[in-house]
Amino acid sequence: MEELEQRLAITEEKKQELFRNNLGLVLDRDFFHVAFNTDAYLHDFYTQLEEPAMRMVHTYMPTIVAKLPKGGRMCDFGAGPTIHLGVCFRHSVDEIFFADYLPQNRNELVRWINKESNFDWSTVLRTIACHEGEMNSWLTMEEETRSKVRGVLHCDCLKDPSIEYPTDVAEGFDIITTTYCVEYCTKTEEEYKLAIKNIARQIKPGGYFIMGGILEETWCSFGGRKFACLYITEEFMLTALRDAGLTADDEKTTSLYQVNGMFLICAKKQPH
Ligand SMILES: C[S@@+](CC[C@H](N)C(=O)[O-])C[C@H]1O[C@@H](n2cnc3c(N)ncnc32)[C@H](O)[C@@H]1O
């Protein structure tokens, strides 16, 4: 039996081979380490104004930010190689953290902090400036954001604690954002609920959770690869939030935006 299990188990070598020969296969999270191409991701999602998933976030995030209390620390969980949510919060929080699971993405974030990244964020920055209502502010956005960034952390939504804190960083955030992450790294509804709980535990009581994602979809593609996405409905997503101690129904503390199957929600964590 053990021998059979060993033969069926997918080895790192087999993953590399499957990935190289991938002819339209939908890759799941087990392939992230080898298949997630940081440069291709940035190019496919962050160089085109018309990219709908990002347009959705950039359209509504400034409104959400404007409604939240000022100060404290925020973390973009599963940020990938992206800085844009930190940019949206640059004036409203005191400290910004980025967290991601993959080393290639954390390396890109560190390169950006050190001004060594080759990626040109200007298309995204101009879009954010446009929604913030100050067209020329994009020129100073990266510097303003860098001045608030305190670290790039490792995270894994399937673990508790889901964020690895260095010894000099206190636990807990006033605001956690996460976009297009949880449904890509969970394979079942149980895992999705667990991931939301693990992330929500890192929010201080009374803090805020802002999540963007895709409803009723099973895959997305970038960099010429297809990645699996957990099929979730709006009602299931809201249940996962409620079960994690987040408000999903209070009109005063919850904002929910939806466009063409994509959503952006801001929910408050219950105060103890
Ligand atoms: C589709 S990307 C989204 C990146 C970014 N948030 C954005 O909106 O462009 C999904 C991200 O989930 C991260 N990820 C993969 N497995 C994860 C896990 N177990 N826990 C947390 N994040 C994970 C990947 O590293 C990747 O950066």
Side-chain angles (χ1 to χ4, degrees):
M1 185 62 188
E2 213 171 88
E3 196 190 323
L4 180 66
E5 276 175 7
Q6 268 172 13
R7 271 193 282 135
L8 288 175
I10 182 158
T11 61
E12 208 46 50
E13 211 172 87
K14 187 73 189 161
K15 272 188 226 169
Q16 295 273 2
E17 185 192 320
L18 276 169
F19 170 59
R20 275 194 302 274
N21 300 332
N22 164 17
L23 302 167
L25 270 181
V26 178
L27 304 169
D28 66 24
R29 65 161 185 249
D30 299 333
F31 290 86
F32 270 158
H33 275 97
V34 288
F36 193 104
N37 182 322
T38 297
D39 291 338
Y41 185 78
L42 285 172
H43 178 268
D44 286 4
F45 286 104
Y46 292 94
T47 56
Q48 298 151 40
L49 275 177
E50 64 276 14
E51 209 305 302
M54 298 316 143
R55 205 170 53 201
M56 156 93 182
V57 171
H58 298 142
T59 303
Y60 298 109
M61 194 61 88
T63 311
I64 290 178
V65 173
K67 284 192 206 163
L68 294 180
K70 302 279 175 276
R73 49 205 318 245
M74 69 84 69
C75 175
D76 187 21
F77 187 101
T82 77
I83 55 141
H84 63 140
L85 296 187
V87 170
C88 293
F89 280 89
R90 73 195 181 287
H91 289 317
S92 68
V93 297
D94 302 320
E95 297 185 324
I96 295 170
F97 287 82
F98 298 115
D100 199 63
Y101 177 70
L102 293 177
Q104 58 266 48
N105 291 340
R106 294 196 303 276
N107 288 342
E108 171 60 21
L109 290 167
V110 171
R111 274 198 295 276
W112 176 81
I113 291 171
N114 295 333
K115 301 188 186 177
E116 291 162 2
S117 165
N118 293 324
F119 187 70
D120 176 2
W121 280 99
S122 60
T123 304
V124 172
L125 302 180
R126 284 171 196 265
T127 310
I128 295 173
C130 175
H131 288 290
E132 287 182 351
E134 275 194 58
M135 292 308 287
N136 287 329
S137 65
W138 73 274
L139 291 161
T140 50
M141 275 180 183
E142 284 182 276
E143 266 323 296
E144 288 160 357
T145 308
R146 269 192 198 98
S147 73
K148 298 259 175 103
V149 172
R150 299 290 177 264
V152 175
L153 311 175
H154 174 273
C155 69
D156 183 346
C157 63
L158 298 172
K159 286 199 175 144
D160 182 25
S162 54
I163 297 174
E164 256 176 42
Y165 294 91
T167 45
D168 59 338
V169 176
E171 283 194 25
F173 293 91
D174 300 279
I175 296 166
I176 289 188
T177 56
T178 185
T179 54
Y180 307 109
C181 174
V182 183
E183 61 271 32
Y184 290 99
C185 42
T186 52
K187 294 183 184 183
T188 62
E189 290 193 343
E190 289 68 34
E191 275 190 357
Y192 185 93
K193 283 185 162 190
L194 178 71
I196 299 286
K197 276 188 187 154
N198 287 339
I199 301 172
R201 269 193 206 111
Q202 302 306 317
I203 305 172
K204 294 178 187 170
Y208 290 86
F209 179 58
I210 302 163
M211 176 165 70
I214 303 201
L215 298 172
E216 302 182 18
E217 193 51 87
T218 54
W219 61 272
C220 94
S221 72
F222 61 87
R225 305 280 169 203
K226 283 185 181 176
F227 288 88
C229 166
L230 183 68
Y231 182 98
I232 52 165
T233 61
E234 178 192 336
E235 197 40 51
F236 171 73
M237 179 272 291
L238 293 174
T239 304
L241 263 58
R242 286 183 201 110
D243 289 357
L246 299 156
T247 57
D249 308 291
D250 180 342
E251 276 179 25
K252 277 194 191 146
T253 53
T254 311
S255 315
L256 174 60
Y257 302 92
Q258 281 202 62
V259 179
N260 295 335
M262 291 166 296
F263 70 90
L264 188 63
I265 187 163
C266 175
K268 189 171 177 164
K269 183 165 171 175
Q270 320 260 349
H272 279 318

